[in-house]
Amino acid sequence: MVMAHDVHIIGGGLAGSEAAWQLARRGLRVRLSEMRGAGEEHGGGLTPAHHTDGLAELVCSNSFRSDDDEKNAVGLLHHEMRRLGSLVMQAGETARVPAGSAMAVDRDAFSHAVTRALEEHPNVTVVRERVDVLPDAGLTIIATGPLTAAALANSIGRATGAESLAFFDAIAPIVHRDSIDMSIAWLQSRWNKSAGGADADGPGDYINCPMNQEQYLAFHRGLIEGEKTTFREWEANTPYFEGCMPVEVMAERGEDTLRYGPMKPVGLDNPHDPTPEFPQGRWPYAVVQLRQDNKLGTLWNMVGFQTKLKHGEQVRLFRTIPGLENAEFARLGGLHRNTFLNSPRLLDRQLRLKAAPHIRFAGQITGCEGYVESAAIGLLAGMMAAAETGGQDWSPPPRTSAMGALLAHITGDAEAADYQPMNVNFGLFPPLPEVKKKARKEAYTGRAKAEFGTWLAEREAVPA
Ligand SMILES: Cc1cc2nc3c(=O)[nH]c(=O)nc-3n(C[C@H](O)[C@H](O)[C@H](O)COP(=O)(O)OP(=O)(O)OC[C@H]3O[C@@H](n4cnc5c(N)ncnc54)[C@H](O)[C@@H]3O)c2cc1C
């Protein structure tokens, strides 16, 4: 018999499992609906990437990435999650396998530990069923991940407006602003027009990296010849828009296609290349443009550069772009099937759907990316729902912490117009320009730990 519940969680992956744990340990009753392991009569089935009916199955690599909490943003996220009694981190520790400074796990042992902890918890009922429509009422957390089953995705699409639900992330590489060489690149909007069409008063909205003909032709060849990853069968069958076309596919259409597309140089005067005739600077042969990606201005994305080039190949080729010779990438490009919401537009600061606030979203469907990030957002969603049920105020973790920075990005600080999934990285943290670059990572983690500690000390004590 299924007991009455306080919160209904749909999706027993990384985020849903962590959210369930956080609620259960605070004494709230949870119904956790997971379609894997359900009989046919309950719409059971696997996703195209899952192979088992275990909760929190890792669908690809077995790594939680770096465990270094001094110099790495994801390591810092591990640290904060541990301090909040994360089930994913506890089960990860139980299932840990040697991986140097990274945290890797035995995937079966990990999923088994999560499943057992939740199935044995008196406050959790794991129900093997597929849910096809958003519930009309009752506190709900949707954590159905990047491969949300089709009927529920349609229901979410109806509630949010179909254009707010993406099925692909066509990701262009994102570069740390302070690694761009501005003695070669420059800031300017095309024809000095700002995004709204008015004449720009300021220096312009785009960072422009100029190429001469020789550089462009070599780059064009590099795009065509570079090693690519291939679509999985189920990805190839998911339709995607023309706007998601990989840059190398565009390059294959002709030598000049890019120069008439994302690499168009017209209206861009290179101030590093003035002549008596063009004292403001000449137009280059081709240009790579970067647009600001977060409100802090620390991250910039390469406009139109979504790509299926292998990661190593991207780093090598994109560092041949003038101005990006020493570029540090906050994330590289990619094109994957991935169901996610335009969260900055749709969700409030507590991950609630503004149009239906009894529904919260958690995990990768909110537009975070990665196992650990998904679990972290699940953890926060669980804490928020627990506070809401108990009528308590909930204050988010400080913006300077890994959890606070990721949450702020998803719930409003990212640019909604071209929102794309994001890993945790130091570019999401409020900058510390006064600290020398070499010491900055430790400065970020030091500040985060201190402020996170203060926030934690002000919170209720929860049994382990
Ligand atoms: C192919 C692929 C490979 C990836 N590889 C990596 C990687 O190597 N490293 C990494 O860090 N991240 C990776 N990711 C990204 C991401 O971090 C993981 O997908 C992560 O599992 C997301 O956590 P989640 O809890 O949001 O979703 P999931 O872990 O996918 O959990 C969602 C759960 O919801 C269930 N579900 C879906 N629809 C319904 C429904 N209607 N009713 C009931 N249950 C439902 C699913 O069965 C699933 O158990 C990968 C993603 C994909 C798609």
Side-chain angles (χ1 to χ4, degrees):
M1 199 189 76
V2 178
M3 67 174 174
H5 56 268
D6 300 301
V7 181
H8 185 186
I9 299 178
I10 303 172
L14 277 297
S17 298
E18 186 65 62
W21 178 252
Q22 294 298 330
L23 283 155
R25 62 197 284 261
R26 288 171 170 80
L28 294 156
R29 295 162 306 167
V30 176
R31 177 189 182 110
L32 177 58
S33 300
E34 169 53 56
M35 71 176 182
R36 290 177 294 115
E40 252 175 58
E41 69 284 14
H42 297 297
L46 295 171
T47 74
H50 289 81
H51 297 292
T52 74
D53 61 9
L55 300 179
E57 179 183 335
L58 304 179
V59 289
C60 187
S61 113
N62 66 332
S63 173
F64 289 172
R65 319 205 303 278
S66 173
D67 201 28
D68 176 355
D69 61 12
E70 308 260 300
K71 288 195 178 162
N72 190 290
V74 78
L76 179 66
L77 194 56
H78 293 177
H79 167 90
E80 294 171 5
M81 290 171 73
R82 287 187 179 110
R83 293 182 74 177
L84 289 169
S86 157
L87 173 62
V88 164
M89 295 314 294
Q90 282 170 33
E93 218 50 70
T94 319
R96 195 164 181 155
V97 296
S101 62
M103 179 171 181
V105 302
D106 172 319
R107 69 183 68 241
D108 293 329
F110 169 73
S111 166
H112 192 66
V114 172
T115 307
R116 202 179 48 223
L118 291 173
E119 283 184 343
E120 287 178 358
H121 201 293
N123 291 340
V124 180
T125 311
V126 179
V127 185
R128 301 292 180 161
E129 61 180 357
R130 194 185 71 208
V131 177
D132 287 343
V133 283
L134 287 175
D136 294 334
L139 275 194
T140 306
I141 298 178
I142 307 288
T144 43
L147 304 171
T148 295
L152 185 63
N154 288 336
S155 174
I156 297 170
R158 283 193 298 275
T160 57
E163 71 288 352
S164 295
L165 185 66
F167 292 96
F168 261 98
D169 46 341
I171 296 185
I174 293 177
V175 179
H176 287 276
R177 169 73 166 78
D178 60 6
S179 68
I180 302 173
D181 184 347
M182 295 305 284
S183 68
I184 296 175
W186 77 100
L187 263 174
Q188 189 191 4
S189 299
R190 197 180 302 280
W191 305 113
N192 293 321
K193 302 262 177 167
S194 72
D199 286 338
D201 295 329
D205 297 333
Y206 290 81
I207 293 179
N208 302 285
C209 299
M211 280 188 188
N212 62 29
Q213 184 172 12
E214 194 187 333
Q215 289 163 332
Y216 173 77
L217 292 177
F219 185 72
H220 181 261
R221 243 187 345 269
L223 283 175
I224 290 177
E225 289 167 5
E227 217 186 325
K228 328 277 185 322
T229 53
T230 45
F231 273 124
R232 295 163 207 247
E233 197 188 326
W234 41 274
E235 289 180 317
N237 296 335
T238 308
Y240 68 92
F241 306 110
E242 201 52 15
C244 295
M245 187 177 297
V247 65
E248 60 275 5
V249 174
M250 235 182 280
E252 274 164 12
R253 292 188 169 179
E255 194 174 280
D256 280 329
T257 307
L258 285 170
R259 289 209 319 124
Y260 289 98
M263 297 182 72
K264 189 163 64 176
V266 298
L268 294 167
D269 316 308
N270 181 356
H272 307 301
D273 185 21
T275 62
E277 197 187 347
F278 300 104
Q280 77 283 16
R282 288 190 315 165
W283 297 353
Y285 187 76
V287 78
V288 172
Q289 291 198 297
L290 295 101
R291 184 174 48 216
Q292 188 170 329
D293 200 75
N294 64 342
K295 293 213 163 83
L296 297 173
T298 49
L299 299 174
W300 288 64
N301 73 67
M302 294 171 62
V303 181
F305 270 71
Q306 54 276 1
T307 175
K308 286 195 73 70
L309 283 173
K310 291 207 158 155
H311 280 181
E313 202 77 340
Q314 289 185 39
V315 174
R316 188 192 60 71
L317 187 62
F318 296 155
R319 284 191 180 149
T320 66
I321 297 170
L324 300 187
E325 292 84 351
N326 299 309
E328 286 170 25
F329 295 93
R331 68 163 301 159
L332 288 159
L335 196 58
H336 305 277
R337 180 171 150 194
N338 184 10
T339 317
F340 68 97
L341 295 171
N342 191 316
S343 297
R345 183 175 293 149
L346 295 170
L347 304 186
D348 70 10
R349 290 285 181 182
Q350 280 207 44
L351 298 164
R352 289 175 297 216
L353 196 56
K354 288 176 193 164
H358 64 288
I359 294 177
R360 264 193 179 78
F361 283 86
Q364 184 133 339
I365 197 166
T366 65
C368 63
E369 170 94 30
Y371 300 146
V372 185
E373 287 85 341
S374 297
I377 295 300
L379 193 160
L380 290 172
M383 289 178 77
M384 291 165 180
E388 189 170 332
T389 314
Q392 297 134 10
D393 285 341
W394 193 84
S395 60
R399 185 72 185 71
T400 50
S401 65
M403 289 189 118
L406 188 61
L407 179 68
H409 183 77
I410 292 169
T411 57
D413 285 9
E415 293 296 339
D418 44 13
Y419 183 58
Q420 289 293 341
M422 183 61 95
N423 285 121
V424 69
N425 67 80
F426 289 127
L428 303 178
F429 289 51
L432 285 168
E434 67 284 6
V435 179
K436 285 218 171 75
K437 211 170 158 191
K438 264 186 157 174
R440 227 173 264 168
K441 290 177 181 166
E442 280 102 332
Y444 283 132
T445 58
R447 177 180 67 175
K449 285 177 188 169
E451 296 191 12
F452 190 80
T454 309
W455 173 77
L456 202 55
E458 289 163 0
R459 307 196 60 78
E460 91 278 37
V462 184

